[in-house]
């Protein structure tokens, strides 16, 4: 990297610190590449163009307001792939890769062919699964029409659209079973699970820039799981499994909710921080 870029990164790091943003050099490099439009390794200039400088300055202004880097540049890496993101969808988290890896493993071992994701958001889970296993088909459901639009673009980018159906509907809609219209070998969901009163305590990057509808799980954070436990039995094939992401300390309560609807716990998988994060149940 040339001296100009090194100095610019150092200056930007100090500016962000003054605004109480602890930014890594990697984050600043991403913002620079976003402004320049190419890898820093391919940049040999001694200054940014007027347009590049404007884009970079605007990006730094947004970062000073705690907007996450992925929401500024419009993309986020997840598993092996890049996903388009904005303020209409939850930013993919590394911990969610635990659920995805389990889904890949179960699909391969059990020859599952049909998968449903309830709350598809950006599509990072379901679309990664479709990209990894070429002979399965998926249906993604979301209450947000804007999220469905993002998932559609990501599906096109990953070239899995021909094996994907997207449905814009609220889980609480009485017609959801008929709208989906079939059963599945595996059902995935990373539902909202933050208790309502805790939303205000979240980091600014989350509470100000992720959609509240993708975060708020009701008074105790478990409202969505109660609804899922009601509808999933009508959507799951015999011998199929449901995989759910959950918040810290919620796994046992969620298991009890599903056990009342005839499900049997198969596994609870920890995330990178040893927190129980992925619940696998069978009907």
């Amino acid at each position: 990297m040339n001296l100009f870029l090194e100095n610019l990164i150092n200056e930007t790091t100090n500016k962000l610190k003054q605004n109480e943003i602890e930014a890594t050099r990697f984050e600043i490099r991403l913002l620079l590449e976003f402004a320049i439009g190419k890898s820093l390794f391919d940049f040999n200039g001694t200054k940014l163009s007027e347009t590049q400088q404007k884009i970079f300055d605007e990006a730094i202004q947004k970062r000073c307001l705690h907007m996450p880097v992925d929401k500024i540049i419009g993309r986020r890496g997840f598993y092996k792939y890049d996903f388009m993101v904005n303020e209409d969808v939850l930013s993919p988290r590394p911990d969610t890769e635990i659920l995805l890896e389990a889904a890949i493993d179960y699909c391969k071992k059990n020859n599952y062919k049909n998968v449903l994701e309830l709350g598809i958001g950006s599509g990072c889970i379901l679309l990664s699964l479709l990209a990894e296993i070429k002979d399965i088909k998926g249906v993604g459901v979301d209450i947000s029409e804007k999220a469905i639009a993002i998932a559609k673009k990501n599906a096109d980018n990953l070239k899995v659209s021909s094996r994907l159906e997207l449905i814009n509907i609220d889980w609480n809609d009485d017609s959801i079973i008929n709208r989906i219209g079939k059963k599945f070998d595996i059902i995935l969901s990373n539902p909202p699970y933050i208790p309502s009163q805790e939303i205000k305590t979240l980091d600014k990057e989350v509470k100000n820039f992720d959609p509240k509808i993708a975060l708020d799980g009701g008074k105790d954070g478990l409202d969505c799981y109660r609804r899922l436990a009601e509808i999933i039995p009508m959507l799951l094939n015999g011998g199929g499994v449901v995989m759910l992401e959950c918040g810290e300390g919620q796994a046992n309560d969620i298991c009890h909710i599903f056990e009342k609807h005839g499900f049997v716990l198969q596994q609870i998988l920890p995330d990178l921080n040893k927190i129980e994060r992925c619940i696998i149940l069978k009907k």
Side-chain angles (χ1 to χ4, degrees):
M1 190 184 304
N2 69 33
L3 184 60
F4 164 72
L5 291 177
E6 283 285 356
N7 289 337
L8 184 55
I9 289 173
N10 290 334
E11 290 171 5
T12 304
T13 300
N14 292 331
K15 179 178 180 178
L16 289 172
K17 281 184 177 179
Q18 291 171 5
N19 286 272
E20 300 181 346
I21 305 290
E22 291 295 330
T24 64
R25 288 175 62 86
F26 176 70
E27 289 179 340
I28 298 171
R29 286 172 61 103
L30 287 177
L31 294 174
L32 264 173
E33 290 180 339
F34 170 66
I36 294 170
K38 59 184 176 181
S39 169
L40 297 189
F41 293 108
D42 298 325
F43 182 82
N44 297 312
T46 57
K47 66 176 183 178
L48 302 183
S49 71
E50 185 177 337
T51 299
Q52 291 169 339
Q53 188 67 56
K54 181 180 179 182
I55 294 172
F56 185 63
D57 290 343
E58 289 176 349
I60 296 304
Q61 288 173 9
K62 291 177 181 178
R63 190 70 189 102
C64 286
L65 296 173
H66 294 269
M67 180 179 282
V69 172
D70 63 288
K71 296 291 173 68
I72 297 172
I73 67 176
R75 61 180 177 82
R76 173 88 170 218
F78 178 83
Y79 195 58
K80 302 176 183 177
Y81 309 103
D82 267 352
F83 289 86
M84 180 184 296
V85 295
N86 61 15
E87 293 178 54
D88 297 319
V89 296
L90 193 71
S91 292
R93 269 68 166 178
D95 289 334
T96 302
E97 293 183 12
I98 305 300
L99 188 153
L100 171 62
E101 290 170 349
I104 293 170
D105 184 56
Y106 267 72
C107 284
K108 288 182 176 179
K109 288 182 177 177
N110 297 282
N111 199 30
Y112 291 153
K113 298 299 183 186
N114 298 295
V115 56
L116 168 68
E117 182 174 10
L118 293 166
I120 190 171
S122 68
C124 64
I125 302 173
L126 178 56
L127 303 185
S128 295
L129 184 60
L130 293 178
E132 286 295 300
I133 305 177
K134 307 299 183 183
D135 63 344
I136 65 174
K137 295 182 178 180
V139 174
V141 174
D142 206 285
I143 188 176
S144 168
E145 186 176 354
K146 292 180 178 179
I148 289 286
I150 293 294
K152 175 65 169 65
K153 291 178 181 177
N154 283 323
D156 291 342
N157 290 340
L158 289 179
K159 297 179 171 54
V160 298
S161 295
S162 63
R163 293 183 284 124
L164 175 71
E165 179 186 356
L166 295 169
I167 301 174
N168 177 208
I169 191 171
D170 185 340
W171 297 345
N172 292 305
D173 192 313
D174 290 337
S175 69
I176 186 168
I177 305 301
N178 289 334
R179 278 284 303 278
I180 293 174
K182 53 189 170 184
K183 294 188 176 184
F184 300 84
D185 300 321
I186 181 169
I187 297 177
L188 313 172
S189 188
N190 177 15
Y193 55 69
I194 308 296
S196 300
Q197 289 302 310
E198 292 183 18
I199 300 292
K200 59 188 177 185
T201 70
L202 298 175
D203 290 341
K204 292 179 182 178
E205 282 84 352
V206 176
K207 68 181 179 182
N208 292 343
F209 297 100
D210 275 334
K212 185 178 179 183
I213 197 170
L215 299 171
D216 194 339
K219 185 175 181 179
D220 63 357
L222 302 178
D223 282 359
C224 290
Y225 297 98
R226 295 186 182 96
R227 177 56 177 166
L228 290 173
E230 292 173 352
I231 64 175
I232 285 177
M234 294 176 279
L235 295 168
L236 192 65
N237 283 326
V241 297
V242 55
M243 296 187 178
L244 307 165
E245 182 169 324
C246 65
E248 184 173 3
Q250 294 179 329
N252 286 338
D253 288 337
I254 294 168
C255 288
H256 291 325
I257 289 170
F258 275 79
E259 285 166 356
K260 291 177 182 178
H261 290 267
F263 287 86
V264 177
L265 176 65
Q266 303 296 296
Q267 284 180 283
I268 298 178
L269 301 175
D271 65 18
L272 303 174
N273 295 311
K274 310 301 181 186
I275 295 170
E276 293 181 334
R277 186 65 68 186
C278 174
I279 305 168
I280 303 175
L281 303 125
K282 200 167 189 177
K283 187 76 167 72

